[in-house]
Amino acid sequence: MSMEGSLTARDRVGIQDFVLLDAYTSETAFMDNLRKRFNENLIYTYIGTLLVSVNPYKELGIYTKKQMDIYMGVNFFELPPHIFALADNVYRTMISETNNHFILISGESGAGKTEASKKVLQFYAVCCPSTRLLDNVRDRLLLSNPVLEAFGNAKTLKNDNSSRFGKYMDIQFDHQGAAVGGHVLSYLLEKSRVVHQNHGERNFHIFYQLVEGGEDELLRWLGLERNCQNYRFLIQGECAKVSSINDKSDWKTVQKALTIIEFSEKDIEHLFAILASVLHLGNVQFGASALGYVLSTDTSIKFSNNYALELLGIPSNMLREGLTHRKIEAKAEEVLSPFTAEHAKYARDALAKAIYGRTFSWLVNKINESLANKDSTRKTVIGLLDIYGFEVFDVNSFEQFCINFCNEKLQQLFIQLTLKSEQEEYEMEGIEWEPVPYFNNKIICDLVEEKHRGIISILDEECLRPGEATDFTFLEKLEEKMCGHPHFVTHKLADQKTRKTLERGDFRLLHYAGEVTYSAAGKLFNVATQFKSSLSGLTEILMTKEPWYVRCLKPNHCKQPDRFDDVMVRHQVKYLGLMEHLRVRRAGFAYRRRYEVFLKRYKALCPDTWPHWKGTPAEGVQRLIKHLGYKPDEYKIGRTKIFIRHPRTLFATEDAFEICKHELATRIQAKYKGYRVKGQYQRQREAATKIETCWRGLQARKERERRAWAVKVIKKFIKGFMNRNQPVSMDNSEYLAFVRQSYLTRLKDNLPKSVLDKTTWLTPPPIMQEASVFLRKLHTRLLVRKYVRGISSQQKVQLQIKALTSDIFRGRKENYPQSISLCSFFVYSGEKDINIKVLQQICPEGIKYSVPVIKYDRNGFRPRFRQLIFTQAAAYLVEEAKIKQRVNYSSLKGVSVSNLSDNFLILHVSCDDTKQKGDLVLQCSYLFEALTKLCVVTKNHSLIKVVQGSVRFDIQPGKEGFVDFKSSSEAMVYRAKNGHLMVVGPHNAIVNSRDKS
């Protein structure tokens, strides 16, 4: 559906371009339109050429190769808004105008910035010309992403894959539009995350990938253990393992990517050695003297086997001295002064952050070497800028100050370039430019970056001045220089009411998007000037390119699909400056289109322009709008476009067009009502036969008259093909009948044979899309009906048991996925395997199931072969003809199993008497089968508990034991030195064939 066509559905799905909102200054109208579209799974909306994207938190199936083909080479406003439409328009504009462009992608963490950037790269990977050499460049461009994500992304409270750095990537194209190279710039890496993570957050992905996925030989060489809990830098957030992240799999992806990006084995070896050294540094401990200073002896610093020293290649005395003392120069002498334990920890963390920061910079440089284009001929460029959006937290650090200032500068650039592009279009079309009032945030940018007077300059001065600079001397200096500034306030400078909301160590800035309070505590770093310089360099780069914008929004905090939180979204709309941009974009004319496009759509509204206009498109549009009665203040005529001021004018035109279409259809029906109506299927057959006859006649008859007749028919066929996307008419009816017949015939021979087959349904032509959806639903219902009718009562029972097994173990036990198969599940009691004497004793209770097990003694853990039997009333442990233990289901407290791939279970039994036997530790080859049967027999589906690490069990009342679980390359069971039973499960367990569910 074209954008103009969707205007008729605006009450239901909203408007595809906010510029066409009549109440464009109303934030409520803006939010209503955004919510309507989100509720209809329409996550993209335009503001002119700016794309607003709302994260759906679910798969929508709109990023397929087919979708890319649809948007490739199509006019920007012909199809619904999409990231592919913007990417294609940028690409085609770059090719046609041979100039440089950039796409700025911004938004909160979790809003979908990184995914949007990936979609743009994937689109260019498909749409660009392809050769073997170019494919190598494309692969490196695509695979640079997982590497940068591994080293620069982390799990936060808002997002499991949050970019913790800003990234600007240039993609270089040759004159044919082929991607031939690239270059990456990084900004604002969150180095503090290396040494500290908030609760519920993780360090950078690469550390966990190395520990969880690294090969055993590599970990031995690095002195690492396969347990994140052993490293202080990895566990401060208390969530080393995340269900949505597969560190082992991601490790393999990063290794493959490093190879394709052409990192040498030596480079990779050094890279991992540095990562390991950071982890070892985190475990460095400091002893303190009675006065609180770090002891000078070697034993005061304890290294994990001195691995940090070895991997960094630094002499031990040098590192120890650097971490425990500071050097003071006095005249010609150097004096070493010992640190306090706190200062030593600060030095250790500062070193770890510096090492990681420089490693990240080196990594980016190596990627750039791989992406570098060796050809010196002139290239055009599309840049991708993926950077944090403006954010406000309960406590806003120095890093957040830098991020928000970056957004302040980008907002300044954003408004400047938007006004510039608007003004240039008006001048190009010969329309008088009307000045647009807007908030100029230069006053805020100057407050931060102005030479000698700005916050950054004052911070640098404080860091360099003699004496001891502190957070409060810096704040005092700010108060002295900034006193009276309308956008700056502190506790001291505030009025009585405002002072209540500020701590003494805080300062507050009034940004373009609202007030933010920053904490000055502990933030006197020289990083500030470097950041200002790099931001200035980025601004200079962007100023030389044509801008395009993607603004990403998150609809709720919970990452839930189909949930739209008005307060949260309104907050982001404000901070992203969307209303400001809409106001600038709407200050002149809401709608502008080339004459050819406008005339083609609306020519039916004027008798002079319908059906064919023979003059120029500009003259045709003028004749059309005169007939429609446009008032002079409602439009302007440019050199190549018509400009319409108000959306209501366009909507009135569109509504008139809808009425006109129905009237035309009625007239055509009346004119040809004498046409004999036949069944649809019969007409399709006749049309197909007629076309086939035409083709045969062209080949068989050579007479002039017959040849002319054949040519006439072919012309009609071609005309039908050219008008195939138009409403049914005399020009295309026969061709469309042929298309329908052809599709139905092919579909009949290629129908899916299974409900699970989702891929073989033939793609319908446009004329048959609605019918295809209906037929597919009918066919699916038929297949389901056949399947359901073919299920026996026994199979139904098996399916119910399979479902129960899945509820209990899916996503909880590591070897459950390998247990899934189409083999039948158990439906037998196993009575034939039970000794006849035991059978006589327990048969009255009704035997439901039996299985061989290994029972481990409660003291000493000696293995004993036993048989586990479930009756209607109790569970029995049997040794040949002797019943060793009976457990009433009423006294069964629960069953514990590990989350790994072993086959152990612990039956927890209530034992109030010291004479009673305690819990049972069993090993069962048919674990899933046995436990599912136990749940069925006891009618207690919550009986099973899947645990991590260790399980405590009662040997007898007052005496306890433990079973510890872990994974390794091979399975083992042994008594550990600590007296626990150690169960080692293999990484990829093979499940017994009888235990497949």
Side-chain angles (χ1 to χ4, degrees):
M1 186 189 296
S2 68
M3 189 190 80
E4 288 83 2
S6 73
L7 296 177
T8 59
R10 55 185 176 267
D11 290 338
R12 180 174 61 84
V13 301
I15 295 171
Q16 294 184 355
D17 192 337
F18 282 111
V19 171
L20 296 177
L21 271 179
D22 206 28
Y24 69 94
T25 59
S26 166
E27 193 176 76
T28 301
F30 188 99
M31 290 293 296
D32 286 345
N33 192 62
L34 199 63
R35 189 188 311 103
K36 278 182 185 178
R37 297 184 62 73
F38 178 79
N39 290 339
E40 294 290 333
N41 288 327
L42 301 171
I43 63 170
Y44 293 119
T45 312
Y46 292 135
I47 306 179
T49 55
L50 178 146
L51 182 67
V52 179
S53 170
V54 185
N55 193 335
Y57 292 123
K58 64 180 180 181
E59 288 295 328
L60 295 178
I62 59 173
Y63 303 108
T64 61
K65 170 65 167 58
K66 181 180 177 182
Q67 286 286 320
M68 293 184 187
D69 292 338
I70 290 173
Y71 279 91
M72 212 176 291
V74 177
N75 184 284
F76 190 53
F77 293 109
E78 280 187 25
L79 292 170
H82 200 292
I83 189 74
F84 291 160
L86 182 129
D88 180 71
N89 206 35
V90 176
Y91 178 73
R92 287 188 296 109
T93 306
M94 178 200 69
I95 297 297
S96 61
E97 298 179 4
T98 61
N99 56 359
N100 298 327
H101 298 255
F102 76 89
I103 302 173
L104 171 57
I105 304 172
S106 61
E108 279 192 21
S109 178
K113 300 187 299 297
T114 301
E115 283 303 308
S117 180
K118 287 181 187 176
K119 299 308 178 194
V120 173
L121 280 175
Q122 289 166 5
F123 182 81
Y124 291 149
V126 171
C127 76
C128 294
S130 177
T131 65
R132 186 172 181 180
L133 175 63
L134 297 177
D135 286 347
N136 287 336
V137 174
R138 178 199 65 192
D139 291 342
R140 289 180 206 152
L141 281 168
L142 290 175
L143 288 172
S144 65
N145 253 334
V147 174
L148 290 171
E149 283 186 17
F151 284 82
N153 289 25
K155 183 212 178 303
T156 66
L157 290 174
K158 294 185 176 183
N159 183 2
D160 289 350
N161 187 33
S162 175
S163 298
R164 308 316 298 162
F165 71 108
K167 179 181 70 176
Y168 176 77
M169 173 184 277
D170 266 341
I171 311 168
Q172 299 164 354
F173 299 87
D174 64 14
H175 66 284
Q176 293 180 326
V180 293
H183 188 81
V184 178
L185 293 174
S186 64
Y187 302 90
L188 289 173
L189 177 69
E190 190 187 24
K191 291 182 286 190
S192 61
R193 183 167 293 272
V194 175
V195 300
H196 174 74
Q197 307 94 45
N198 293 325
H199 183 76
E201 299 194 352
R202 297 207 312 175
N203 208 321
F204 293 104
H205 293 324
I206 189 63
F207 290 114
Y208 304 93
Q209 293 171 5
L210 174 60
V211 173
E212 295 291 340
E215 296 74 15
D216 291 339
E217 185 178 346
L218 173 64
L219 294 185
R220 277 195 297 273
W221 176 68
L222 297 174
L224 297 177
E225 298 177 12
R226 199 179 299 283
N227 187 350
C228 294
Q229 301 299 320
N230 292 343
Y231 303 100
R232 194 179 70 87
F233 282 170
L234 301 186
I235 58 173
Q236 295 178 57
E238 298 182 357
C239 64
K241 286 189 179 292
V242 182
S243 59
S244 64
I245 300 174
N246 188 332
D247 292 312
K248 291 180 183 178
S249 174
D250 293 342
W251 167 259
K252 293 177 182 176
T253 302
V254 170
Q255 281 191 309
K256 177 185 175 184
L258 289 172
T259 304
I260 292 176
I261 300 173
E262 297 182 335
F263 278 64
S264 68
E265 288 187 12
K266 195 170 185 181
D267 287 337
I268 296 173
E269 186 178 287
H270 288 166
L271 181 61
F272 294 152
I274 291 173
L275 292 176
S277 73
V278 171
L279 293 180
H280 288 300
L281 270 177
N283 288 352
V284 171
Q285 301 174 13
F286 300 93
S289 68
L291 297 176
Y293 293 104
V294 175
L295 296 172
S296 59
T297 62
D298 284 351
T299 58
S300 65
I301 301 181
K302 302 170 184 177
F303 288 90
S304 197
N305 298 324
N306 285 325
Y307 277 115
L309 297 171
E310 295 174 14
L311 295 170
L312 288 172
I314 300 174
S316 61
N317 60 333
M318 184 183 296
L319 184 61
R320 294 174 194 279
E321 183 180 289
L323 292 180
T324 59
H325 293 76
R326 65 175 172 177
K327 188 179 291 184
I328 302 172
E329 294 185 1
K331 296 183 180 179
E333 292 184 336
E334 290 184 349
V335 179
L336 293 177
S337 173
F339 282 150
T340 64
E342 281 303 310
H343 276 111
K345 292 174 184 175
Y346 181 87
R348 173 200 64 197
D349 290 354
L351 177 60
K353 290 189 289 185
I355 289 172
Y356 194 81
R358 294 192 180 189
T359 302
F360 189 80
S361 298
W362 173 85
L363 182 79
V364 172
N365 290 336
K366 289 293 292 183
I367 289 174
N368 285 335
E369 288 176 17
S370 172
L371 297 178
N373 174 34
K374 308 300 188 291
D375 187 355
S376 60
T377 57
R378 184 176 181 274
K379 303 294 179 294
T380 50
V381 162
I382 295 177
L384 285 175
L385 179 58
D386 172 3
I387 200 160
Y388 316 101
F390 189 97
E391 290 184 299
V392 182
F393 300 101
D394 293 336
V395 178
N396 297 286
S397 65
F398 177 78
E399 286 172 330
Q400 195 58 44
F401 169 79
C402 292
I403 290 167
N404 288 350
F405 172 56
C406 177
N407 277 272
E408 194 77 57
K409 286 292 290 182
L410 291 174
Q411 173 70 6
Q412 184 184 41
L413 178 69
F414 175 57
I415 296 296
Q416 286 175 356
L417 293 178
T418 301
L419 285 171
K420 178 171 172 275
S421 65
E422 283 284 287
Q423 190 169 357
E424 285 176 352
E425 183 174 19
Y426 279 49
E427 290 172 357
M428 191 184 304
E429 292 293 325
I431 293 176
E432 183 181 354
W433 170 252
E434 302 171 3
V436 178
Y438 69 97
F439 170 63
N440 189 343
N441 66 340
K442 183 177 184 297
I443 185 173
I444 306 171
C445 295
D446 289 345
L447 171 67
V448 177
E449 66 178 351
E450 189 176 9
K451 281 189 176 180
H452 310 304
R453 292 178 54 82
I455 293 174
I456 291 177
S457 294
I458 295 171
L459 180 57
D460 287 343
E461 288 175 14
E462 281 299 292
C463 291
L464 296 173
R465 76 176 178 84
E468 187 173 355
T470 68
D471 308 326
F472 290 103
T473 61
F474 166 58
L475 201 57
E476 287 172 359
K477 195 79 171 182
L478 284 181
E479 290 169 339
E480 177 188 330
K481 291 283 184 78
M482 304 296 175
C483 181
H485 196 289
H487 291 267
F488 177 87
V489 69
T490 65
H491 186 274
K492 178 180 177 181
L493 299 177
D495 57 39
Q496 189 172 1
K497 182 179 179 182
T498 306
R499 190 171 293 165
K500 295 177 181 178
T501 64
L502 285 164
E503 299 292 335
R504 294 189 180 275
D506 292 345
F507 65 92
R508 181 175 294 164
L509 298 187
L510 179 57
H511 288 277
Y512 77 93
E515 293 182 345
V516 186
T517 302
Y518 299 100
S519 171
K523 298 298 179 282
L524 290 183
F525 303 131
N526 298 337
V527 62
T529 298
Q530 296 171 5
F531 163 67
K532 177 181 149 187
S533 302
S534 63
L535 182 57
S536 176
L538 174 63
T539 305
E540 289 175 10
I541 291 171
L542 300 183
M543 285 295 287
T544 63
K545 297 178 172 63
E546 296 296 319
W548 303 78
Y549 304 97
V550 179
R551 296 295 201 232
C552 299
L553 305 173
K554 55 192 299 187
N556 60 75
H557 280 300
C558 311
K559 307 175 193 173
Q560 289 182 356
D562 305 318
R563 179 177 172 185
F564 190 91
D565 185 329
D566 273 65
V567 174
M568 181 177 178
V569 176
R570 192 182 298 268
H571 175 84
Q572 294 169 81
V573 166
K574 178 183 177 183
Y575 283 5
L576 288 171
L578 297 184
M579 293 299 296
E580 182 81 356
H581 180 72
L582 175 57
R583 204 161 59 80
V584 170
R585 187 68 176 73
R586 265 295 302 272
F589 296 87
Y591 175 92
R592 69 278 317 254
R593 284 292 179 276
R594 294 187 67 84
Y595 293 132
E596 296 88 341
V597 176
F598 189 84
L599 182 62
K600 181 180 178 182
R601 181 164 185 82
Y602 298 118
K603 64 182 180 179
L605 296 176
C606 174
D608 294 341
T609 55
W610 174 261
H612 301 294
W613 172 254
K614 303 208 175 163
T616 65
E619 293 169 343
V621 169
Q622 288 179 331
R623 183 72 61 87
L624 173 59
I625 61 177
K626 182 179 179 182
H627 176 79
L628 293 173
Y630 279 20
K631 296 177 182 177
D633 65 337
E634 291 183 327
Y635 72 95
K636 290 286 185 185
I637 294 293
R639 293 191 176 96
T640 65
K641 297 178 182 177
I642 178 173
F643 288 71
I644 297 177
R645 188 177 297 278
H646 305 298
R648 61 178 177 269
T649 306
L650 177 66
F651 293 158
T653 306
E654 181 63 27
D655 292 340
F657 176 60
E658 284 299 308
I659 295 170
C660 180
K661 280 198 299 187
H662 291 299
E663 289 178 350
L664 282 173
T666 303
R667 272 186 275 169
I668 291 170
Q669 286 174 355
K671 186 174 181 181
Y672 295 102
K673 67 180 179 180
Y675 180 73
R676 186 178 176 185
V677 180
K678 300 179 181 179
Q680 182 181 7
Y681 180 71
Q682 184 180 352
R683 289 200 303 272
Q684 289 169 350
R685 287 191 61 186
E686 289 178 357
T689 304
K690 189 172 181 180
I691 292 169
E692 185 178 357
T693 304
C694 291
W695 281 99
R696 286 177 179 172
L698 179 64
Q699 296 172 352
R701 300 172 186 176
K702 297 183 180 179
E703 295 85 4
R704 186 182 300 273
E705 297 83 3
R706 299 296 292 165
R707 210 169 12 215
W709 174 81
V711 169
K712 183 178 179 182
V713 172
I714 292 172
K715 284 182 178 179
K716 192 170 184 180
F717 188 90
I718 293 171
K719 193 171 185 179
F721 174 78
M722 294 174 67
N723 290 281
R724 65 191 184 281
N725 294 325
Q726 301 300 320
V728 178
S729 66
M730 291 295 294
D731 291 333
N732 63 10
S733 60
E734 292 184 358
Y735 176 82
L736 294 178
F738 168 77
V739 169
R740 284 192 290 265
Q741 171 67 20
S742 174
Y743 175 73
L744 290 172
T745 302
R746 288 185 295 115
L747 182 63
K748 180 187 70 172
D749 298 329
N750 294 277
L751 288 170
K753 302 294 190 295
S754 165
V755 178
L756 300 177
D757 185 354
K758 304 292 185 184
T759 59
T760 59
W761 189 269
L762 293 181
T763 302
I767 191 70
M768 291 296 290
Q769 282 185 348
E770 187 176 350
S772 175
V773 172
F774 179 71
L775 289 172
R776 190 170 188 174
K777 287 180 180 177
L778 282 180
H779 184 66
T780 302
R781 288 173 64 184
L782 177 65
L783 292 175
V784 170
R785 199 173 187 182
K786 279 185 178 179
Y787 180 78
V788 171
R789 286 183 173 178
I791 295 177
S792 66
S793 57
Q794 185 178 11
Q795 287 175 316
K796 187 174 182 181
V797 171
Q798 290 175 355
L799 287 172
Q800 289 171 341
I801 295 176
K802 282 185 180 182
L804 175 58
T805 308
S806 175
D807 289 343
I808 298 171
F809 296 106
R810 185 179 181 186
R812 296 187 179 93
K813 188 148 179 73
E814 195 172 85
N815 57 337
Y816 173 73
Q818 286 80 40
S819 74
I820 298 171
S821 109
L822 296 177
C823 299
S824 61
F825 207 61
F826 65 87
V827 285
Y828 82 116
S829 65
E831 291 184 10
K832 62 182 182 298
D833 300 321
I834 302 174
N835 185 278
I836 187 66
K837 291 184 178 179
V838 174
L839 195 61
Q840 290 172 348
Q841 294 180 63
I842 66 176
C843 195
E845 294 183 12
I847 296 172
K848 296 298 180 183
Y849 179 73
S850 74
V851 65
V853 296
I854 298 175
K855 181 250 186 184
Y856 288 82
D857 289 348
R858 299 175 184 83
N859 293 302
F861 299 120
R862 290 188 61 185
R864 313 278 189 183
F865 288 95
R866 298 286 188 263
Q867 191 170 22
L868 182 64
I869 302 173
F870 298 149
T871 69
Q872 193 67 43
Y876 289 88
L877 194 66
V878 174
E879 180 186 9
E880 297 182 352
K882 185 178 181 181
I883 296 176
K884 303 293 290 183
Q885 187 170 348
R886 183 181 191 272
V887 179
N888 287 326
Y889 293 144
S890 59
S891 63
L892 182 61
K893 295 191 294 185
V895 182
S896 295
V897 297
S898 82
N899 65 323
L900 303 179
S901 54
D902 57 89
N903 51 12
F904 271 70
L905 63 148
I906 296 93
L907 297 181
H908 299 285
V909 183
S910 298
C911 48
D912 305 317
D913 188 338
T914 54
K915 295 180 180 180
Q916 288 182 327
K917 295 182 178 180
D919 297 345
L920 290 170
V921 180
L922 306 176
Q923 185 178 7
C924 179
S925 297
Y926 311 106
L927 183 72
F928 295 106
E929 175 180 303
L931 292 180
T932 304
K933 191 63 178 180
L934 179 60
C935 289
V936 172
V937 172
T938 61
K939 299 179 182 178
N940 184 357
H941 297 178
S942 61
L943 197 64
I944 313 301
K945 182 179 180 184
V946 182
V947 299
Q948 295 184 15
S950 297
V951 175
R952 176 195 165 282
F953 68 94
D954 292 328
I955 297 173
Q956 61 186 46
K959 187 175 181 181
E960 63 182 17
F962 291 88
V963 182
D964 297 336
F965 297 91
K966 71 175 184 178
S967 290
S968 184
S969 57
E970 58 181 325
M972 291 182 287
V973 181
Y974 60 90
R975 183 178 183 182
K977 292 180 180 179
N978 59 4
H980 297 183
L981 178 63
M982 176 58 70
V983 178
V984 182
H987 287 307
N988 293 308
I990 304 299
V991 182
N992 193 295
S993 61
R994 204 183 100 196
D995 206 3
K996 291 178 179 175
S997 50

